[in-house]
Amino acid sequence: MRFLVLNRIVILGGARDFHAMDWYRTVQKNMADREVVFLTDLVESEGYCNIVTKTDRIEKLFVIDKFLFKKQSSAGSAWRNFFKILVLPIQIYKLRKFYNKNPNSIFHAHPMYYMLLCWLSRIEYIGSPQGSEILVRPNKSVVYNFFAIRVLRSAKYVIVDSVNMKNKIQEMSGVNALVHQYGIDVQELKKYKNRNKQQITSIRGMTPLYRINEIFNSREYCGVSDGINFIYPHYEEGYLKDIKNRMIAKDKDCGRLKKNNMYRLLSETYLAISIPMSDSSPRSVYEAIFLGCIVAVTYNPFIACMPKCMRDRIIIVDLNDKEWLKSAIKKAKQLIQHDYIPSSEAISIFDQDLSIKRVIDELYI
């Protein structure tokens, strides 16, 4: 089943969300004959930098930035979630008003909160939940699970980036989600080729989910003296404070880097580390591989779905082995001697232009 031919594509999400904004920009790039806009309630708050550019077409709901904390923290996240529920009636009114002015539009919500907003506003929508929204949160809250099922069932289509998420959604709600890799900017990554790789870099969020403390535990147990760069798109203030207390002089707290700076650092990295408790289809891991890194990960089903050329850059570590970091460093130094050359299969699956063109052809036209 397809939508009728419509005039406008509306991506609904947070304008400080790299993933949602990248999706929007790639759709915009590949649909020059259609108007593509980003509808949001968040732009710049809680320590997140403003990533909106002059070429972005931003439309606004009730923007809540000024009501949020100045820094990221567990308390700040709890307050944000509560406040977003509190102002739902306002957002529903704003969204319905926007919809009435733009009835011939496709609405694509990223992630679950914006799917909920579309559902409550009685607007037909495509939905793209995030990994933890499907793999973690339903197991922690009966209320969340109740609403998640209804939001998933109400979507015209649900798009996810991994078979793991697809299977969980099927189990939860009976919905047959479509699997599409969100992709990475392969053409941009080609600009950062670097054979002088001397760095070790942690590439995930600075929260308990991503088990950054485990990196320090293994380094201290093994007596490894290598410094580590820590880049992270988001953090919890208390957790970050604890981590900083464990850093050595050689470590670098890089925080949330702009993309060009992140790509440059990863192009100089021989070992990237990504060991979260749960994962769906981690874009940062794919970017690291395409930038030539060897990536240490804990086992996750997404690994089996990668082409061989990418699996060959993966080191699966067991965190029960206290010397996992030392072993990963040793193996990475051997593997990094071979340059990464992406296969045609890897490019076909992970190039974001090719990936999103498939979504456009299947769902947006």
Side-chain angles (χ1 to χ4, degrees):
M1 183 181 295
R2 290 178 178 267
F3 284 102
L4 295 175
V5 176
L6 302 174
N7 296 326
R8 186 182 248 194
I9 308 297
V10 180
I11 309 300
L12 179 59
R16 66 186 201 182
D17 180 343
F18 275 129
H19 296 301
M21 289 299 289
D22 277 349
W23 183 283
Y24 156 71
R25 287 168 182 155
T26 308
V27 172
Q28 186 184 52
K29 174 183 175 182
N30 288 285
M31 296 196 76
D33 59 332
R34 302 276 288 281
E35 186 178 15
V36 184
V37 302
F38 195 94
L39 183 60
T40 189
D41 63 340
L42 283 168
V43 179
E44 183 181 11
S45 54
E46 297 181 290
Y48 287 91
C49 296
N50 190 337
I51 60 173
V52 173
T53 66
K54 293 181 179 179
T55 57
D56 294 328
R57 174 69 187 277
I58 304 296
E59 299 282 354
K60 295 178 180 178
L61 299 171
F62 174 58
V63 176
I64 65 171
D65 290 332
K66 65 182 180 181
F67 299 97
L68 305 182
F69 286 24
K70 292 183 179 180
K71 295 182 179 180
Q72 298 171 53
S73 64
S74 297
S77 294
W79 166 248
R80 182 196 337 109
N81 293 335
F82 172 76
F83 191 75
K84 291 182 87 167
I85 297 299
L86 190 67
V87 298
L88 261 177
I90 300 174
Q91 304 295 21
I92 291 169
Y93 169 77
K94 291 273 191 179
L95 182 54
R96 282 299 306 181
K97 186 176 180 180
F98 181 89
Y99 172 77
N100 290 336
K101 290 181 179 179
N102 303 274
N104 297 323
S105 300
I106 293 174
F107 287 78
H108 189 162
H110 297 252
M112 189 69 82
Y113 170 79
Y114 300 97
M115 294 170 65
L116 173 70
L117 182 55
C118 287
W119 174 53
L120 293 174
S121 301
R122 303 187 308 281
I123 290 175
E124 187 174 271
Y125 62 96
I126 300 169
S128 290
Q130 290 179 341
S132 61
E133 293 177 330
I134 299 300
L135 302 176
V136 178
R137 295 181 193 174
N139 301 324
K140 293 185 175 182
S141 170
V142 173
V143 174
Y144 180 93
N145 187 63
F146 174 86
F147 282 102
I149 290 171
R150 277 142 190 84
V151 167
L152 290 166
R153 287 177 177 171
S154 298
K156 183 73 174 181
Y157 300 102
V158 176
I159 301 175
V160 295
D161 59 4
S162 72
V163 174
N164 200 17
M165 285 184 71
K166 175 184 173 70
N167 291 342
K168 180 64 175 178
I169 287 173
Q170 180 72 43
E171 176 189 322
M172 283 173 59
S173 64
V175 171
N176 183 27
L178 306 174
V179 179
H180 283 280
Q181 281 296 332
Y182 298 169
I184 57 178
D185 194 342
V186 171
Q187 298 307 312
E188 181 67 18
L189 294 175
K190 287 180 180 179
K191 301 176 184 178
Y192 293 85
K193 190 175 181 64
N194 189 336
R195 287 191 170 88
N196 183 27
K197 298 180 179 297
Q198 304 291 331
Q199 307 287 327
I200 301 174
T201 305
S202 169
I203 58 175
R204 303 304 294 271
M206 193 63 75
T207 72
L209 173 66
Y210 297 102
R211 299 194 284 204
I212 307 302
N213 266 317
E214 295 291 340
I215 300 172
F216 289 95
N217 291 344
S218 184
R219 182 170 69 174
E220 291 164 7
Y221 181 86
C222 299
V224 171
S225 60
D226 303 59
I228 300 173
N229 305 301
F230 293 89
I231 58 177
Y232 43 92
H234 53 87
Y235 64 89
E236 289 182 7
E237 189 173 14
Y239 190 79
L240 177 59
K241 184 178 179 180
D242 291 340
I243 291 299
K244 285 184 175 181
N245 288 334
R246 301 187 71 179
M247 288 184 181
I248 61 176
K250 293 181 182 178
D251 292 336
K252 292 182 181 178
D253 176 15
C254 302
R256 188 182 195 186
L257 296 177
K258 292 183 178 179
K259 278 196 171 184
N260 61 326
N261 293 329
M262 181 183 74
Y263 292 161
R264 189 172 296 110
L265 176 57
L266 288 177
S267 75
E268 300 168 356
T269 295
Y270 73 91
L271 177 62
I273 303 172
S274 172
I275 52 170
M277 295 178 187
S278 68
D279 229 345
S280 172
S281 184
R283 186 177 186 182
S284 56
V285 169
Y286 306 143
E287 288 175 327
I289 291 172
F290 270 77
L291 286 165
C293 303
I294 307 301
V295 188
V297 302
T298 45
Y299 178 75
N300 193 284
F302 77 80
I303 298 169
C305 298
M306 292 193 299
K308 183 178 184 301
C309 68
M310 296 178 71
R311 293 198 306 272
D312 288 346
R313 311 294 286 192
I314 291 288
I315 299 172
I316 299 175
V317 300
D318 178 3
L319 300 188
N320 291 318
D321 175 6
K322 294 182 179 180
E323 295 192 349
W324 67 265
L325 179 60
K326 182 179 180 180
S327 300
I329 290 172
K330 180 179 179 181
K331 190 170 184 180
K333 286 180 177 178
Q334 297 170 350
L335 294 174
I336 203 66
Q337 301 304 314
H338 303 283
D339 289 343
Y340 176 64
I341 302 174
S343 65
S344 57
E345 181 187 10
I347 293 172
S348 175
I349 294 172
F350 290 98
D351 184 298
Q352 66 184 16
D353 286 321
L354 298 177
S355 181
I356 291 183
K357 278 179 183 176
R358 288 190 284 269
V359 175
I360 290 171
D361 291 342
E362 185 174 349
L363 303 180
Y364 286 179
I365 296 177

